[in-house]
Amino acid sequence: MRKLHDSARGLILGVVDLFYPLFRRFMPLQTFRYAACGGFNTCLDIALFFVSYNFILKKQVIHIGFLSIGPHIAAFLIGFCITFPIGFYLSRYVVFQETSVGKRKQLGKYFMVVLGCLFLNYTFLKLFVEVFKWYPTPSKLVTTVFVVAFSYFSQKNYTFKAARV
């Protein structure tokens, strides 16, 4: 398993770092890695949202006992279940490698930040789709801008904060 992890991490770093020279003048390596990994995970999330909303859920409300979940919220939750572990892996092993926090504690902190992201996603999707009457996929795109900014600063300064020397 360790061999697989090392191979996957090395491959991801190799691909991401291959493009860094094009952006070196604009941002530090860590910021570039965050943008690349976060961009990948965000694109995956939006694709999962689109496919879930349109083809899996077929734009239908989900009824679970006395609870009804709108298809845009259910699609967002489906995407979250897949992108949460991928995002943690990329953040821990590709972006913020020099962290001083143990893996379990870090996972807890990561989860707390992700809960904040969940809250922001839920709130903005509800606002844009149900109040402003925007289409769900563009609403998800606009929501993502706010959530990515919150996530980056929270992960950098809280979850994966490097030790001060």
Side-chain angles (χ1 to χ4, degrees), residues 99-164:
T99 183
S100 60
V101 180
K103 194 183 327 180
R104 281 200 172 130
K105 187 173 181 181
Q106 210 168 52
L107 181 59
K109 287 179 159 191
Y110 184 81
F111 184 71
M112 293 301 292
V113 171
V114 168
L115 282 179
C117 292
L118 281 171
F119 174 76
L120 290 173
N121 264 294
Y122 180 83
T123 302
F124 282 122
L125 281 173
K126 283 286 207 185
L127 176 70
F128 296 151
V129 174
E130 296 176 19
V131 177
F132 295 168
K133 304 295 183 201
W134 294 359
Y135 289 108
T137 302
S139 296
K140 176 66 176 162
L141 293 169
V142 173
T143 296
T144 297
V145 172
F146 294 108
V147 174
V148 165
F150 169 79
S151 176
Y152 175 73
F153 290 109
S154 299
Q155 300 299 6
K156 180 177 174 66
N157 298 309
Y158 174 66
T159 306
F160 298 102
K161 186 175 183 177
R164 301 264 184 212

Side-chain angles (χ1 to χ4, degrees), residues 59-75:
K59 303 177 186 178
Q60 301 295 312
V61 174
I62 305 299
H63 301 283
I64 304 170
F66 65 91
L67 181 65
S68 295
I69 303 171
H72 55 288
I73 300 301

Side-chain angles (χ1 to χ4, degrees), residues 1-2 4-14 16-17 30 33-34 37 84-99 101-104 106-107 110 159-160:
M1 192 62 142
R2 182 74 179 163
L4 177 64
H5 160 73
D6 290 339
S7 295
R9 183 178 169 275
L11 177 65
I12 294 166
L13 280 168
V16 170
D17 290 354
Q30 185 182 60
R33 285 178 175 169
Y34 184 84
C37 292
F84 174 79
I86 293 171
F88 179 74
Y89 182 85
L90 292 173
S91 291
R92 174 156 174 93
Y93 296 107
V94 176
V95 180
F96 302 107
Q97 299 174 43
E98 69 287 336
T99 183
V101 180
K103 194 183 327 180
R104 281 200 172 130
Q106 210 168 52
L107 181 59
Y110 184 81
T159 306
F160 298 102

